[in-house]
Amino acid sequence: MIRATHLEAIRRSLNVIMLIAVFVTCYFAKDLLLPILLGFLIALTLSPLTRGLARIGVPHWASAVVLIGAVAAAVVAVIYFASGTIVGWMDTADTMGHELQAKMSGLFRQLENVRQAGEDVASMAGADPAVQEVVVKQPTLLDSAMDVISTIGATTAVALVLAVFLLSSGNMFYIKLVQSFQTMSGKKRALTMVYDIERRVSHYLLTIALINAGLGICVGSALTLLGMPYAYIWGIAAFLLNFLPYLGAITGVAMVAALSIITFDSVGYALLAPAAYLALTTIEGNFVTPTLLGRRLELNTPAVFLTVVLWGWLWGIAGALVAVPFLVVFKVVADNVEGMQIVSNFLGAADEVHHSEEAETQTANPVTGPAAS
């Protein structure tokens, strides 16, 4: 009995160590793992389309090349049309900052008083005037932006190429999975689980991508009607930011508010643009997405928030953007793998808890169940 207890303690300790090792590996191997993860997510999203085209005689490799080529063309088009405007904004960032400061002078004046009070306290502490301050020259905003763009470009290119290979393989990995099991029941169970994972995850990712595209179109159209310059840029930003739950909408509203205050003379009219952005994201989050996705893949809010925080800490903005798709994949795997039902239950939404309680009640009291009626 004592030996069994010790073995169980050792097993739990090894599990904790393995979990820590996984997070450490993810942290230091971001540049390697991120394009691989994106490639799998893109392949999962487009897999229903390739299967549908295969049913009418289109080879997997042909549909994969066409679909990924369309995605790559869309990415290039977005970069082409948006790059000039974004570079112009970066060149005039100082001027825009001064304009925003001038229009928000009252608030900035209070912040300046707080900063000045802090400097007075520091001088009263007796700072040594002989100490020389060393100023490290920071890279310019344009240099930093070019570094980020080159990294994003390389990551996107690797992800798209990997997605082409995955989609072109067709059923190869499913066949190899079936061949790995000896019994017919094991083959059938494994194949059913994998198809269920692909179906549910691809449904989620494709639906979310279409919803975000619709939101981007609505945001761009609304800001165009309000007279915002380069409104299509904010439509693209809304599409990308909406992959980031909660924080994405807040970030978009804040950015639109800042540019709107700079653009329009009336502060009251300037607030219409961020208000429209907030209204559209609210409608999308509370009505459109729940209606189109249904209740099958809903996750509870704390789990989503903690996942975004965790992956944002590990991989920055890129990690925060892929956090929810990764959590959905993990949730579907937990639903289908024996022994992970506890994890799946903790990740599920409140509706799943109510359904589970109703099922347990009907099991414990069969008289009140449907069979009694």
Side-chain angles (χ1 to χ4, degrees):
M1 182 66 181
I2 297 178
R3 182 175 299 176
T5 304
H6 288 172
L7 289 176
E8 183 64 24
I10 293 173
R11 186 179 295 108
R12 291 178 180 176
S13 301
L14 290 176
N15 290 335
V16 173
I17 293 174
M18 183 179 67
L19 184 62
I20 294 174
V22 168
F23 281 115
V24 171
T25 303
C26 290
Y27 182 80
F28 288 103
K30 169 190 172 182
D31 295 335
L32 173 65
L33 296 178
L34 181 58
I36 295 176
L37 178 60
L38 286 176
F40 274 96
L41 291 177
I42 294 172
L44 279 174
T45 303
L46 299 178
S47 58
L49 301 179
T50 58
R51 290 188 186 280
L53 293 173
R55 294 190 186 99
I56 61 176
V58 180
H60 284 284
W61 66 267
S63 59
V65 171
V66 171
L67 291 174
I68 299 301
V71 173
V75 172
V76 171
V78 168
I79 294 174
Y80 175 78
F81 287 109
S83 59
T85 303
I86 295 176
V87 170
W89 284 348
M90 289 189 295
D91 290 338
T92 60
D94 293 337
T95 303
M96 295 171 65
H98 291 313
E99 292 180 5
L100 181 62
Q101 183 177 4
K103 292 191 175 183
M104 303 292 291
S105 58
L107 176 61
F108 284 110
R109 190 178 299 111
Q110 296 180 5
L111 295 177
E112 178 65 21
N113 293 335
V114 174
R115 187 188 66 82
Q116 186 63 40
E119 292 182 355
D120 294 341
V121 172
S123 61
M124 292 174 59
D128 188 359
V131 177
Q132 295 183 354
E133 181 179 359
V134 178
V135 178
V136 180
K137 184 179 180 180
Q138 299 293 332
T140 63
L141 183 61
L142 184 59
D143 292 336
S144 300
M146 292 305 297
D147 291 338
V148 172
I149 291 174
S150 62
T151 302
I152 294 176
T155 301
T156 304
V158 173
L160 291 177
V161 172
L162 177 60
V164 169
F165 290 145
L166 292 173
L167 293 173
S168 300
S169 63
N171 296 324
M172 181 185 69
F173 290 104
Y174 299 102
I175 296 173
K176 291 182 178 296
L177 178 66
V178 170
Q179 293 173 347
S180 302
F181 291 86
Q182 301 299 323
T183 62
M184 183 60 65
S185 61
K187 296 175 184 291
K188 185 177 181 180
R189 184 170 59 252
L191 194 60
T192 301
M193 181 186 70
V194 172
Y195 274 126
D196 184 49
I197 291 173
E198 181 193 71
R199 177 180 56 82
R200 295 171 66 184
V201 173
S202 61
H203 168 72
Y204 172 83
L205 294 176
L206 186 59
T207 305
I208 286 296
L210 293 176
I211 290 173
N212 290 354
L215 176 65
I217 294 173
C218 292
V219 168
S221 301
L223 297 186
T224 300
L225 293 176
L226 291 174
M228 281 282 290
Y230 307 107
Y232 67 93
I233 298 292
W234 297 112
I236 297 172
F239 168 76
L240 296 175
L241 289 173
N242 206 51
F243 284 101
L244 180 59
Y246 315 122
L247 300 179
I250 296 174
T251 303
V253 170
M255 294 171 62
V256 169
L259 186 63
S260 181
I261 292 173
I262 296 173
T263 303
F264 302 110
D265 295 331
S266 172
V267 176
Y269 187 82
L271 294 179
L272 292 178
Y277 192 112
L278 180 60
L280 290 171
T281 54
T282 302
I283 293 172
E284 175 272 327
N286 291 280
F287 299 101
V288 178
T289 298
T291 300
L292 295 181
L293 278 181
R295 301 289 178 179
R296 290 181 300 168
L297 286 177
E298 281 201 353
L299 303 165
N300 63 72
T301 303
V304 172
F305 180 76
L306 291 176
T307 303
V308 171
V309 170
L310 174 62
W311 285 97
W313 171 71
L314 284 174
W315 289 353
I317 297 177
L321 289 174
V322 301
V324 176
F326 178 81
L327 182 61
V328 171
V329 173
F330 185 74
K331 174 68 164 58
V332 175
V333 172
D335 288 340
N336 288 272
V337 174
E338 186 177 355
M340 297 185 66
Q341 283 76 17
I342 296 178
V343 177
S344 174
N345 182 50
F346 274 101
L347 295 178
D351 290 345
E352 295 185 7
V353 178
H354 297 322
H355 293 327
S356 177
E357 290 177 352
E358 291 176 359
E360 291 179 358
T361 302
Q362 292 177 0
T363 303
N365 302 284
V367 176
T368 61
S373 58

